[in-house]
Amino acid sequence: MTMILPVLVAVLATLVAATPHHIKCHVVGLTVRAQCRFVSGHSNGKMDAKAGGFGANEQIRIVPQGGNVIALRSSHGKHLAAAGDKAEWNRPHVAAWEKFRVEKHGNKLAFKSHRN
């Protein structure tokens, strides 16, 4: 089952195109479209979208994996995994479940699970 995370890139970096090769800065913040809240990656591996501002837990590093595929690493050093119907920041290494394809939708980006 593929899962598209409902996130947009909050422009904390200069995005030139929808591919990781063109991202000028690899640390970004993600926001949930409907709530206008930042996505947080907590040290216990949990993920939520409750933050009203951009702090340490909201700093997400883009890790290029080749082509338009990326991995996302939290400020705690763990990678985001699309495991079944949920996403968690609890993986120490990048494998299939931790890879996401970057898709451009107008002026917004989506990260689609790369595990299938």
Side-chain angles (χ1 to χ4, degrees):
M1 167 174 153
T2 6
M3 179 175 77
I4 297 178
L5 297 178
V7 295
L8 306 173
V9 172
V11 183
L12 302 170
T14 304
L15 299 177
V16 178
T19 61
H21 303 297
H22 296 103
I23 296 175
K24 301 279 186 187
C25 176
H26 293 288
V27 176
V28 298
L30 304 175
T31 58
V32 174
R33 183 179 0 179
Q35 300 164 340
C36 296
R37 296 286 184 185
F38 282 92
V39 172
S40 302
H42 300 284
S43 60
N44 64 1
K46 299 296 179 187
M47 176 180 177
D48 64 39
K50 297 178 182 176
F54 185 71
N57 284 343
E58 293 73 44
Q59 294 182 26
I60 298 164
R61 182 164 297 279
I62 293 174
V63 184
Q65 299 294 304
N68 66 335
V69 177
I70 62 169
L72 300 170
R73 186 171 58 226
S74 74
S75 61
H76 304 288
K78 300 293 184 177
H79 294 91
L80 180 65
D85 62 350
K86 62 183 175 177
E88 299 176 310
W89 295 99
N90 63 357
R91 306 298 169 93
H93 305 289
V94 177
W97 287 17
E98 293 76 40
K99 293 182 181 179
F100 298 87
R101 182 180 335 277
V102 179
E103 295 182 348
K104 190 169 184 178
H105 297 274
N107 64 348
K108 299 171 184 165
L109 302 178
F111 303 133
K112 184 174 182 180
S113 171
H114 190 69
R115 67 183 180 92
N116 287 338

